């Protein structure tokens, strides 16, 4: 038997292992101090996690309850949500999936109230995983879809990948290996894209399982070995152990028993060192399987019993059923039919339980069948006791036949109902899958449509600039140059100087436009490198102002730098310079002669707000709405007839958002304009 890996298997351990530097005594000493209630809640959670890590179940449960009660007393929703979440992790780690689900759902209610959708989506994924372990596939699919929807809304690719892993596991457990491989591959592609090699290794393991179970064990071995290469770099001993077990299972299927045992014992060594009971149980079970195939039945019994003991301890019914089947086969091989039959009955009982878990309608139907069996025994007993009297016996026998016939018919009716329910469930699962596929295809089509629409807008803007804005200055340069060459003898010095100034102005305009156009083209093509670093804001603003000083002097405009000293931002120096240059240049362009342009900064908790304000002609409301739209012509003539393309503001908006900030404008006609944008503070 193979084993899949989920990220969630590590979650609870990470939660607890981070506290190994202290023990419960240290935290309890802290509790007696005069602390805030919120700090006490946190300390109770840390104590509970440590007890959970040491398998002190009652003590852990006690401190989780204390943390929850205290959080409710102070009505702190974040702490209430966190406590429910931690408690859910605890119950899942102890295989109490029903209580885990209840606490997870309670946690999502409070996380929704504080608008923490990232946590809600993550917990929905955990709820789905718990339902998978409880074999409630419809609920699992429902919560995976809920989680996936939120992660897509948040554009959280790692969260989307986790849900694809969940869907893959669902299809894997149902034997639909082609769909399982598809979802595992989707998840792997995302993890490769975001550089999460741990996620890639998990996908390789699960993809290898689906491939091997689909009949291609040799290809499965390749993916296990790829996964191990990554896990060795990460020193992921648990993952290596799982893959060694899966490699052994593949060799078992290939009937190469010596290689199978070699890898099973490698995996067993790791599992025992890590005290991973679930992994230990499955490895011992697989070794038992090999021993049966080698006709070493006594050894097979020993390994199967050890595995069964652990499986019962952790409450894993599937492992229990497989071990009981191995014990039955091994005793049959030893010629002990009594023990073989005994373990076979136990195997059948466990398998029936697996089918019936948490499926209320089926449980009731099976109970009805058991009641019918009891009624049958009662009828037989009455028939035996009435044998003394012939007339009563005949009457009882006919009555018995009637009841037996009725029960047989009723039993057939019940079986038909069970089959119908199973068919409905399969149809429902298929419908859910088809709906999910349609939603996925719809999202992909919509994304492609938006992308193509944006490309068309970009193309139109590009040609507009080429055809109009860039052509005009070159025509001006060409025209006045030809005039000076052909009629130089007719013009005096003053006339020629005037023409040269016009040519210089057109050259500056073309140069500025080409510079912005080059930057914008690189940005649209994805070739512009984003390299954030620590930058002193006041120095960068001063450098940009000095470059634009000539432009301001020509219009007798004063530029003041009110940026606070010792502010450092985390920004790409070229992008920040482009933003400042365009905004300050625009302010100069739309400010009357002898006007003022002010550059200021305002500190916030984790970002700085930068303002470029002028007392120029302002912008009307209609133009404000389309100021940053690429498909609307936004260029206006400046106070000294300066021309522009409107491309600079679009660049500013893109670059600000690249830093995680935002850009906005406040303006009124004849009262000036103020552009504001935010940048992250360097820490």
């Amino acid at each position: 038997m193979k084993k899949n890996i989920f990220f969630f298997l590590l979650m609870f351990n990470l939660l607890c292992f981070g506290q190994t530097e202290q023990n419960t005594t240290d935290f309890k000493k802290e509790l007696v101090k005069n602390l805030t209630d919120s700090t006490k809640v946190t300390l109770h959670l840390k104590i509970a996690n440590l007890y959970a890590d040491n398998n002190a179940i009652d003590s852990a449960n006690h401190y989780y309850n204390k943390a929850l009660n205290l959080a409710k007393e102070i009505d702190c929703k974040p702490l209430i949500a966190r406590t429910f979440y931690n408690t859910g992790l605890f119950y899942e780690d102890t295989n109490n999936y029903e209580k885990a689900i209840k606490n997870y759902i309670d946690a999502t209610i409070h996380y929704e109230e504080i608008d923490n959708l990232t946590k809600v989506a993550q917990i929905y994924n955990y709820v789905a995983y718990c339902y998978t372990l409880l074999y409630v596939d419809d609920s699992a699919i429902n919560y995976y879809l809920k989680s996936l929807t939120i992660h897509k809304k948040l554009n959280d690719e790692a969260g989307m990948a986790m849900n694809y892993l969940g869907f893959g596991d669902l299809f894997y457990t149902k034997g639909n290996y082609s769909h399982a491989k598809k979802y595992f591959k989707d998840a792997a592609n995302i993890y490769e894209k975001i550089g999460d090699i741990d996620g890639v290794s998990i996908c390789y393991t699960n993809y290898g399982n689906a491939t091997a179970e689909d009949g291609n064990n040799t290809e499965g071995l390749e993916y296990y070995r790829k996964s191990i290469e990554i896990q060795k770099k990460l020193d992921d001993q648990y993952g290596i152990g799982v893959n060694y077990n899966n490699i052994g299972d593949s060799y078992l299927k290939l009937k190469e028993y010596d290689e199978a045992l070699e890898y099973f014992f490698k995996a067993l060594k790791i599992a025992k060192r890590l005290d991973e009971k679930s992994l230990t149980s499955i490895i011992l079970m697989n070794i038992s399987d090999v021993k049966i195939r080698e006709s070493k039945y006594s050894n097979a019994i020993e390994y199967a019993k050890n595995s069964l003991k652990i499986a019962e301890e952790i409450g894993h019914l599937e492992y229990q059923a497989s071990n009981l089947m191995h014990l039955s086969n091994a005793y049959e091989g030893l010629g002990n039919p009594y023990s073989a039959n005994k373990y076979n009955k136990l195997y059948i009982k466990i398998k029936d339980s697996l089918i019936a878990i948490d499926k209320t309608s089926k449980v009731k139907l099976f109970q009805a069948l058991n009641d019918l069996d009891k009624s049958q025994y009662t009828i037989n007993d009455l028939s035996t006791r009435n044998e003394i009297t012939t007339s009563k016996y005949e009457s009882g026998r006919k009555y018995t036949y009637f009841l037996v016939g009725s029960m047989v018919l009723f039993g057939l009716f019940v079986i038909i109902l069970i089959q119908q329910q199973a068919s409905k469930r399969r149809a429902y699962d298929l419908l859910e899958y088809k709906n999910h596929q349609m939603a996925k295809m719809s999202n992909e089509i919509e994304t492609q449509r938006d992308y193509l629409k944006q490309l068309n807008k970009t193309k139109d803007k590009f040609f507009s600039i080429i055809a109009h804005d860039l052509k005009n200055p070159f025509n001006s340069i060409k025209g006045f140059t030809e005039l000076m060459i052909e009629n130089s003898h007719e013009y005096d010095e003053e006339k020629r100087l005037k023409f040269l100034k016009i040519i210089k102005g057109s050259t500056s305009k073309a140069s500025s436009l080409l510079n912005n156009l080059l930057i914008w083209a690189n940005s649209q093509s994805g070739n512009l490198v984003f390299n954030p670093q620590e930058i002193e804001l006041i120095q960068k603003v001063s450098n940009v102002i000095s470059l634009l000083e000539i432009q301001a002097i020509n219009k007798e405009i004063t530029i003041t730098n009110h940026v606070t000293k010792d502010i450092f931002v985390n920004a790409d120096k070229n992008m920040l310079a482009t933003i400042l240059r365009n905004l300050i240049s625009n302010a100069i362009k739309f400010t009357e002669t002898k006007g003022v342009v002010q550059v200021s900064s305002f500190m916030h908790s984790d970002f700085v707000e930068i303002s470029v304000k002028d007392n120029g002609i302002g912008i009307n409301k209609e133009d404000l709405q389309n100021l940053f739209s690429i498909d609307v012509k936004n260029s206006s003539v400046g106070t000294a007839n300066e021309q522009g393309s409107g491309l600079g503001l679009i660049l500013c908006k893109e670059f600000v958002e690249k830093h995680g900030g935002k850009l906005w404008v406040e303006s009124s006609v004849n009262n000036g304009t103020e552009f504001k944008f935010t940048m992250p503070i360097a820490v």
Side-chain angles (χ1 to χ4, degrees), residues 64-327:
Y64 282 128
N65 286 332
K66 289 189 73 172
L68 180 60
N69 291 333
L70 186 55
K72 286 182 176 179
E73 285 177 10
I74 62 176
D75 194 27
C76 181
K77 286 183 171 56
L79 284 176
I80 295 172
R82 180 182 168 192
T83 304
F84 276 126
Y85 171 66
N86 277 249
T87 308
L89 291 172
F90 160 69
Y91 279 122
E92 176 160 359
D93 193 61
T94 55
N95 305 312
N96 194 336
Y97 304 118
E98 294 88 350
K99 287 190 177 180
I101 290 170
K102 181 182 182 304
N103 280 278
Y104 283 150
I105 297 301
D106 288 338
T108 60
I109 293 171
H110 290 86
Y111 277 126
E112 284 177 340
E113 289 180 359
I114 60 176
D115 202 29
N116 191 340
L117 292 181
T118 300
K119 206 68 177 177
V120 171
Q122 179 188 25
I123 296 173
Y124 278 159
N125 181 275
Y126 296 170
V127 172
Y129 179 65
C130 288
Y131 274 123
T132 300
L133 297 175
L134 291 171
Y135 308 98
V136 188
D137 293 343
D138 52 343
S139 296
I141 290 172
N142 181 42
Y143 277 96
Y144 277 134
L145 287 172
K146 284 184 176 181
S147 178
L148 183 62
T149 300
I150 298 175
H151 281 303
K152 283 187 174 181
K153 180 180 178 182
L154 298 173
N155 197 27
D156 181 1
E157 293 185 309
M160 291 162 60
M162 281 195 69
N163 284 289
Y164 288 147
L165 271 176
F167 281 118
D169 187 68
L170 271 176
F171 283 114
Y172 174 83
T173 56
K174 290 188 289 184
N176 191 337
Y177 302 122
S178 60
H179 284 116
K181 286 191 288 185
K182 181 185 182 306
Y183 280 103
F184 290 146
K185 190 172 182 179
D186 287 347
N189 289 338
I190 292 177
Y191 286 132
E192 286 176 348
K193 177 183 175 184
I194 65 178
D196 189 337
I197 60 173
D198 192 13
V200 174
S201 73
I202 290 172
C203 293
Y204 282 162
T205 298
N206 294 350
Y207 190 92
N209 288 347
T211 302
E213 292 294 349
D214 205 20
N216 195 339
N217 285 286
T218 303
E219 185 181 354
L221 287 170
E222 294 177 8
Y223 280 94
Y224 297 143
R225 291 191 171 103
K226 285 183 179 180
S227 181
I228 288 173
E229 286 179 8
I230 297 173
Q231 289 161 345
K232 284 183 177 179
K233 294 177 183 178
L234 297 171
D235 194 26
D236 179 8
Q237 293 298 308
Y238 176 82
I240 294 170
V242 169
N243 278 298
Y244 280 157
N245 171 75
N246 295 346
I247 291 174
D249 188 82
S250 292
Y251 279 124
L252 174 62
K253 298 289 172 35
L254 294 169
K255 298 183 179 180
E256 297 178 21
Y257 301 133
D258 290 339
E259 288 81 1
L261 286 174
E262 177 187 352
Y263 279 96
F264 284 144
F265 283 116
K266 282 184 179 180
L268 184 62
K269 183 177 179 181
I270 293 174
K272 286 184 175 180
R273 185 172 69 247
L274 297 177
D275 194 26
E276 283 289 343
K277 293 183 178 179
S278 176
L279 182 57
T280 302
S281 178
I282 196 173
I283 296 168
L284 292 170
M285 180 176 65
N286 287 335
I287 295 173
S288 173
D289 193 6
V290 176
K291 296 299 181 183
I292 290 173
R293 294 169 190 254
E294 292 180 333
S295 300
K296 297 178 181 179
Y297 301 116
S298 297
N299 290 338
I301 290 170
E302 179 184 356
Y303 284 109
K305 285 186 175 179
N306 288 336
S307 177
L308 178 62
K309 182 179 178 181
I310 298 172
E312 289 173 341
E313 181 182 342
I314 63 177
H316 203 299
L317 294 180
E318 283 189 352
Y319 294 176
Q320 292 177 41
S322 296
N323 280 300
L324 290 169
M325 182 181 65
H326 288 172
L327 287 169

Side-chain angles (χ1 to χ4, degrees), residues 439-453:
K440 183 180 178 183
M441 291 174 63
S442 176
N443 289 338
E444 290 175 354
I445 291 170
E446 185 175 348
T447 301
Q448 289 296 324
R449 185 193 65 195
D450 292 342
Y451 177 67
L452 290 173
K453 185 177 179 181

Side-chain angles (χ1 to χ4, degrees), residues 645-683:
S645 66
L647 185 59
L649 287 179
I650 294 171
L651 272 178
C652 291
K653 186 174 187 297
E654 288 185 9
F655 287 174
V656 169
E657 291 176 351
K658 190 83 171 176
H659 289 79
K662 62 178 182 177
L663 171 67
W664 69 100
V665 59
E666 298 171 1
S667 181
S668 62
V669 177
N670 299 323
N671 288 319
T673 302
E674 183 176 12
F675 281 89
K676 298 180 181 180
F677 66 97
T678 59
M679 283 280 145
I681 296 174
V683 293

Side-chain angles (χ1 to χ4, degrees), residues 502-530:
I502 293 172
I503 292 171
K504 179 186 176 183
S506 297
T507 304
S508 298
K509 177 189 173 185
S511 175
S512 176
L513 182 56
L514 281 171
N515 185 46
N516 275 343
L517 188 60
L518 178 61
I519 296 172
W520 180 65
N522 282 330
S523 172
Q524 297 302 306
S525 64
N527 294 327
L528 194 63
V529 178
F530 179 59

